[in-house]
Amino acid sequence: MSASDKPYITEEDGVMKVRTCAWSPPGDHPVGCGLILHVKDNRLVKVEGDPDNPVTNGRVCVRCLALDEILYNDKRLLSPMKRNRADRGKDSWTKISWDEAYDLLEAKIREIWDKWGAETIFTLTGTGRESTLYAPVYGPAVCNTCNGASTYAFSGEACYGPRATITNYLLGAGVPEIDWAQYWEDRYDHPGYQVPKYIIVWGKDPLYSSPDGFFGHSIIDLMKRGSKIITIDPRLTWLGAHAEYHLQLRPGTDAAVGMGLLNVIISENLYDHDFVERWTYGFDELAEAVKEWTPEKVQKVSWVDPEALVGAARAFATNAPSTATWGVALDQSKASTQAAQCFLALCAICGYIDVPGGVTITKPTSFIGQWRYDMSDTISDEMAAKHIVDLDGKYALFNSGAAMGGVQGDTLLNWLEGKWADRPEYYKLRMCWIIGTNPLACMADQPQRWYEAMKDLDFIVAQDLFMTPTIMGLADLVLPLSTFAEHEGLVTPNYGRNQHFIGAMNEAVHNPNTKSDLEILIDMGKRMRPELWEGMDTPDKFFDAKLKENYGYGLDEVKAVPAKMSGYEYRKYEKGLLREDGKPGFETSTGRIELWSPVLAAFGEQPLPYYEEPEFSHISKPELAEEYPLYYTTGGRHISMFHSEDRQEDLTLRRLHPWPLVTISPHVAQKYGIEQGDWVEITSPQGTMTQKANITEEVNDKFIHVEHAWWYPEQDPEAPNLYGVWKSNANNLIPHESVSVTGYGAPYKNGICKIRKVSGLDHD
Ligand SMILES: Nc1nc2c(c(=O)[nH]1)N[C@H]1C(S)=C(S)[C@@H](COP(=O)(O)OP(=O)(O)OC[C@H]3O[C@@H](n4cnc5c(=O)[nH]c(N)nc54)[C@H](O)[C@@H]3O)O[C@H]1N2
Ligand SMILES: Nc1nc2c(c(=O)[nH]1)N[C@H]1C(S)=C(S)[C@@H](COP(=O)(O)OP(=O)(O)OC[C@H]3O[C@@H](n4cnc5c(=O)[nH]c(N)nc54)[C@H](O)[C@@H]3O)O[C@H]1N2
Ligand code: SF4
Ligand SMILES: [Mo]
């Protein structure tokens, strides 16, 4: 590689400085932070933020700064490896070449096609890493199966899917986000841009999570420019501590709080009449539905202080423009649909949608997303008809096809366990391709059940940077991945559903031993379904063709700048820019924002928001209240870890956060005789696990917070231990199928538990 013909490379004293936009692997969401990678003799020697990047302005966090420790870690996978099926769970791998690996994989897929049919192959994927763009294509366009697309070992698809789907139906748009001037090259100075006066931060902790393309620093930027904060969160986060109003709710009661806020705004006549009249559908019915949610009733159900609720509602509604952002906590309860309805209704009735300083929205398509859907259409109708659904008829909305097209997670576990084995429509699954997920450590509810159920499959292949408990426990073939510093890619924030720029991910270090998700997809696609892959020999050619098809410019134009900005048009609904037919309004069945949802009604869900008590609480299960006196929530993000990654002992990232922490209030700790750093066993009606005590007032005396995604790479890799993956696993606590009729939302962040001090991680 030379600097001369590449505008993104400069050279100084034998060190190449390669400008890039970060994504994954190692793990991250598509924030696309601008980086300069310093490379000497094909070795990454330093990472710094790119000051010329208009979105991230040179700021960078510890995970990217420590990238070299991942690249050169001695535990990193650097060769494909295979293992006999009989040896699953044993650390007895044989290194093979890429050609041998591809030959083996091709032979297995063909054998399964011939013996059992392509539908018996399924793919599993995980959260929004780069693989999100490509993993859904492996099923249809390599394996020719109907059981691919976005399929997760995830109860209620409890991340992003619920919010994205409800927004699709109610707004006909991609996922809304705060207007942080992210669409403009001149950012906050852009003529016409306004700083939001209040920002509701609902079930999200973006300073630590920078999720889905939202850059956490931007909240601080806005606060410096005068924005005030309202948090809706059981924990007192940093943002909560700096908020004007902190609504400290009981985990899982978001819909009650949402309806309470709506009720204050409607009953005090604080909403935007003009917007409501012209652009919303079902306002009167909504007003009627929320009427009973007085601040006192909200407090009874959710613990939220009535004064804070009323103050927050007034401040939000009467200070235009204000805005709101929602996090994964809204997806991680059975009532995710109702919480999402409230969130969207609040933004809508206050007139904050698609206005400067409000929330940005775009059409729900991305250029790679569209290609994904097109590739999914390449399977035959006969194959599509075999797509796995709940055979008792549950989850109609999920299975309507307008969703992400995958297999619903709870349905998949039931199917793997043979729940419907005596039904004529049933067939046994035979093969799984794992692309960007480590379900046993992180995603799967009741992980031991998933482990037992998947053990029965005939063949499992996975690709990753490191060995994981899932791969050690289950896989027969593993393919080593390249990091984002080692391959070409594109970053599309928000997966294209609110895409403020496109960023070029540039290869800085050449690694001949590893490949990217897209390279593996193209290589295997050409072997298995060559007719779909003509002319797409390399990622570069693929990106260039797709960009030209969709935007009229090619890859070179993206690589030439730190970020190819999208630009933005406000009030698109007035200009006919949101609907396919070019008429004003929203791309919904009524052309308006549906506060009363015909789609939900059609799929057996109530059309208006309502409150349903979480399945496991002291109210719904009073008989369990004495045995499980505390509530829990889970999974708040830590800056130095991305889900189950970054646990290898020699990483700075692990040293920054060496153990899984259960956060307990000082009062509760005292009551149970627990001191800082003690090991604590946490037990729910579903299961048990152990973490280390962290005593702070971030939580109150009624609930604790536990971390998720823990395993111990330093421990015995072999089954049954599998790197200690069962020991501190938050998902032992999570019930299976505690999901609403839509098929979306599961209680990963709310439940009841008991705690006790124990002698260590391994205890009686
Ligand atoms: N109790 C509880 N459980 C939770 C949560 C919670 O809050 N509480 N959060 C949930 C949420 S929101 C999510 S999204 C899930 C996430 O769950 P998963 O998506 O399964 O996340 P990981 O366990 O980190 O597994 C991802 C694997 O992919 C690899 N990887 C990283 N980047 C790439 C890439 O670009 N391509 C490929 N092929 N592989 C890559 C990583 O090395 C890692 O081994 O966890 C969920 N689990
Ligand atoms: N560093 C790092 N960044 C990440 C990840 C990571 O693992 N590490 N994971 C990525 C993924 S997949 C996702 S989905 C995003 C998630 O990022 P966020 O959406 O920010 O989600 P969390 O940090 O899990 O939780 C947000 C907040 O919800 C609160 N909360 C818990 N229960 C409830 C509840 O019932 N109601 C309400 N209103 N709030 C509740 C928690 O206390 C927490 O402060 O982060 C992404 N970014
Ligand atoms: S948020 Fe942090 S880990 Fe993610 S791309 Fe930006 S600097 Fe890297
Ligand atoms: Mo997520």
Side-chain angles (χ1 to χ4, degrees):
M1 203 183 311
S2 92
S4 54
D5 56 343
K6 296 193 162 65
Y8 53 92
I9 303 180
T10 53
E11 212 168 332
E12 222 176 274
D13 301 332
V15 176
M16 280 200 322
K17 295 184 181 180
V18 184
R19 185 180 69 215
T20 196
C21 285
W23 195 349
S24 74
D28 197 34
H29 273 180
V31 196
C33 296
L35 304 183
I36 310 281
L37 303 177
H38 295 231
V39 177
K40 194 170 169 31
D41 302 329
N42 199 36
R43 191 175 171 94
L44 181 71
V45 290
K46 184 178 161 186
V47 176
E48 64 175 334
D50 175 7
D52 297 329
N53 185 293
V55 182
T56 57
N57 312 109
R59 287 167 297 181
V60 62
C61 71
V62 64
R63 299 199 309 285
C64 272
L65 289 173
L67 184 63
D68 60 329
E69 294 183 17
I70 302 269
L71 254 72
Y72 306 115
N73 194 280
D74 62 9
K75 294 202 182 66
R76 188 170 162 200
L77 299 174
L78 288 173
S79 164
M81 297 195 294
K82 67 174 183 180
R83 179 174 67 178
N84 293 326
R85 185 176 178 281
D87 288 339
R88 283 186 187 162
K90 290 193 191 142
D91 193 9
S92 54
W93 298 89
T94 308
K95 286 187 181 165
I96 54 176
S97 69
W98 273 97
D99 281 341
E100 286 170 296
Y102 280 165
D103 288 346
L104 172 64
L105 190 49
E106 178 176 346
K108 280 289 173 192
I109 296 172
R110 289 196 189 283
E111 185 188 329
I112 288 168
W113 280 355
D114 291 347
K115 275 198 194 157
W116 295 297
E119 68 276 13
T120 68
I121 304 174
F122 70 107
T123 58
L124 277 184
T125 188
T127 188
R129 292 153 169 126
E130 194 193 16
S131 49
T132 324
L133 299 184
Y134 311 114
V137 181
Y138 279 66
V142 178
C143 305
N144 204 10
T145 176
C146 52
N147 293 318
S150 299
T151 296
Y152 310 94
F154 205 9
S155 179
E157 201 179 323
C159 178
Y160 202 72
R163 277 171 291 163
T165 304
I166 295 304
T167 312
N168 246 354
Y169 286 130
L170 270 54
L171 242 64
V175 172
E177 191 47 272
I178 294 176
D179 183 2
W180 45 290
Q182 69 271 40
Y183 277 88
W184 313 114
E185 189 103 36
D186 47 355
R187 301 294 310 279
Y188 302 105
D189 297 329
H190 189 77
Y193 174 73
Q194 290 186 50
V195 172
K197 299 216 172 60
Y198 276 84
I199 305 174
I200 295 183
V201 182
W202 193 339
K204 181 165 182 162
D205 196 12
L207 303 189
Y208 299 93
S209 59
S210 290
D212 305 311
F214 181 72
F215 186 52
H217 284 281
S218 56
I219 293 258
I220 308 291
D221 291 345
L222 290 170
M223 287 167 82
K224 284 183 183 164
R225 287 169 172 75
S227 297
K228 297 194 165 83
I229 303 295
I230 298 167
T231 43
I232 308 181
D233 196 314
R235 288 190 306 152
L236 184 61
T237 58
W238 186 93
L239 276 175
H242 292 77
E244 302 289 301
Y245 299 99
H246 172 55
L247 309 188
Q248 190 173 33
L249 80 171
R250 168 159 68 95
T253 61
D254 294 89
V257 177
M259 288 191 289
L261 290 167
L262 287 165
N263 185 33
V264 174
I265 293 168
I266 296 171
S267 63
E268 296 189 9
N269 202 13
L270 308 178
Y271 58 95
D272 181 335
H273 285 251
D274 183 51
F275 187 89
V276 164
E277 211 161 285
R278 291 176 63 193
W279 304 111
T280 68
Y281 177 81
F283 176 77
D284 292 342
E285 290 82 352
L286 176 73
E288 191 56 33
V290 302
K291 209 164 74 184
E292 63 176 295
W293 288 92
T294 60
E296 293 67 36
K297 179 165 173 174
V298 173
Q299 182 184 35
K300 226 171 136 186
V301 167
S302 75
W303 308 339
V304 167
D305 173 43
E307 253 178 59
L309 184 89
V310 173
R314 288 180 186 157
F316 182 70
T318 58
N319 284 287
S322 284
T323 187
T325 184
W326 49 354
V328 78
L330 277 83
D331 302 324
Q332 296 192 334
S333 88
K334 189 175 172 185
S336 66
T337 303
Q338 293 71 38
Q341 282 176 288
C342 291
F343 176 89
L344 295 173
L346 270 174
C347 297
I349 70 166
C350 294
Y352 297 152
I353 293 198
D354 209 16
V355 297
V359 295
T360 58
I361 53 167
T362 64
K363 288 185 176 179
T365 42
S366 78
F367 70 107
I368 292 185
Q370 190 51 51
W371 164 75
R372 224 172 93 174
Y373 293 128
D374 295 345
M375 287 302 231
S376 287
D377 283 343
T378 64
I379 56 170
S380 68
D381 291 347
E382 196 193 337
M383 174 58 61
K386 295 178 183 164
H387 181 238
I388 289 177
V389 293
D390 183 290
L391 292 186
D392 301 327
K394 281 160 97 173
Y395 312 141
L397 184 109
F398 190 104
N399 292 321
S400 66
M404 302 285 179
V407 181
Q408 202 275 351
D410 303 85
T411 302
L412 181 58
L413 178 56
N414 289 340
W415 194 280
L416 283 163
E417 291 181 337
K419 177 174 180 188
W420 297 289
D422 55 352
R423 297 279 290 268
E425 307 94 308
Y426 183 82
Y427 52 85
K428 232 166 123 62
L429 286 165
R430 304 285 174 173
M431 172 181 158
C432 177
W433 194 330
I434 295 174
I435 309 143
T437 182
N438 178 11
L440 299 188
C442 188
M443 216 169 208
D445 56 314
Q446 298 291 293
Q448 301 225 20
R449 277 176 69 180
W450 280 92
Y451 174 54
E452 291 302 325
M454 285 186 62
K455 262 183 178 170
D456 200 31
L457 296 169
D458 294 73
F459 186 70
I460 300 178
V461 52
Q463 56 216 44
D464 213 308
L465 290 183
F466 290 95
M467 192 52 73
T468 67
T470 306
I471 296 172
M472 185 57 80
L474 291 168
D476 308 304
L477 174 65
V478 55
L479 308 174
L481 275 182
S482 52
T483 66
F484 74 79
E486 296 163 321
H487 67 250
E488 300 285 299
L490 286 183
V491 184
T492 59
N494 270 302
Y495 325 105
R497 299 175 80 89
N498 201 335
Q499 176 183 291
H500 45 287
F501 72 92
I502 299 176
M505 188 193 291
N506 296 311
E507 185 188 41
V509 175
H510 183 64
N511 183 339
N513 303 314
T514 58
K515 293 183 194 292
S516 71
D517 293 302
L518 181 58
E519 285 173 300
I520 296 170
L521 174 62
I522 294 174
D523 291 349
M524 285 307 296
K526 281 183 167 294
R527 281 176 177 243
M528 307 311 299
R529 299 197 69 194
E531 70 281 8
L532 303 179
W533 295 94
E534 272 165 35
M536 303 224 195
D537 303 327
T538 60
D540 272 14
K541 279 195 192 165
F542 170 81
F543 294 133
D544 199 51
K546 291 291 145 211
L547 287 166
K548 283 182 176 145
E549 247 169 72
N550 287 275
Y551 301 108
Y553 55 74
L555 185 58
D556 284 351
E557 249 184 82
V558 179
K559 284 180 174 282
V561 290
K564 184 82 180 160
M565 304 302 285
S566 306
Y568 194 79
E569 189 83 44
Y570 290 112
R571 295 194 171 82
K572 291 186 281 298
Y573 48 90
E574 288 178 348
K575 302 168 189 157
L577 296 174
L578 287 175
R579 291 179 56 85
E580 287 306 319
D581 62 12
K583 292 190 180 148
F586 292 83
E587 183 73 347
T588 60
S589 60
T590 58
R592 292 161 178 246
I593 296 176
E594 296 183 340
L595 306 174
W596 189 103
S597 166
V599 177
L600 290 175
F603 285 106
E605 180 54 284
Q606 294 185 35
L608 290 162
Y610 62 94
Y611 179 73
E612 189 184 358
E613 186 56 31
E615 193 179 340
F616 288 90
S617 83
H618 294 163
I619 298 170
S620 55
K621 299 255 186 316
E623 70 281 9
L624 297 180
E626 202 179 324
E627 185 177 357
Y628 302 97
L630 290 165
Y631 285 90
Y632 67 80
T633 185
T634 78
R637 279 29 176 172
H638 190 267
I639 196 73
S640 72
M641 281 163 181
F642 202 88
H643 290 298
S644 72
E645 293 188 53
D646 312 312
R647 298 302 193 287
Q648 286 72 19
E649 246 188 345
D650 51 353
L651 297 179
T652 303
L653 299 177
R654 171 81 188 271
R655 285 199 295 272
L656 284 170
H657 196 98
W659 300 106
L661 299 180
V662 46
T663 306
I664 307 175
S665 79
H667 231 108
V668 172
Q670 197 185 25
K671 181 170 164 197
Y672 288 88
I674 294 166
E675 287 181 25
Q676 183 74 10
D678 281 348
W679 286 97
V680 178
E681 183 189 66
I682 303 109
T683 305
S684 81
Q686 279 69 38
T688 190
M689 58 98 183
T690 301
Q691 301 197 349
K692 235 174 199 284
N694 178 36
I695 301 170
T696 84
E697 288 178 1
E698 186 182 299
V699 295
N700 67 22
D701 296 346
K702 295 183 248 185
F703 78 102
I704 60 167
H705 170 262
V706 300
E707 292 183 352
H708 76 298
W710 272 90
W711 60 292
Y712 302 95
E714 67 275 18
Q715 283 201 10
D716 179 6
E718 298 204 329
N721 189 57
L722 296 178
Y723 300 105
V725 71
W726 317 118
K727 295 180 183 179
S728 302
N729 196 322
N731 293 344
N732 294 346
L733 310 180
I734 310 298
H736 173 64
E737 270 203 306
S738 181
V739 177
S740 76
V741 296
T742 60
Y744 285 106
Y748 280 81
K749 282 199 194 314
N750 61 80
I752 50 175
C753 66
K754 59 183 168 187
I755 59 172
R756 72 181 175 107
K757 179 177 160 169
V758 290
S759 55
L761 176 59
D762 300 298
H763 59 83
D764 295 328

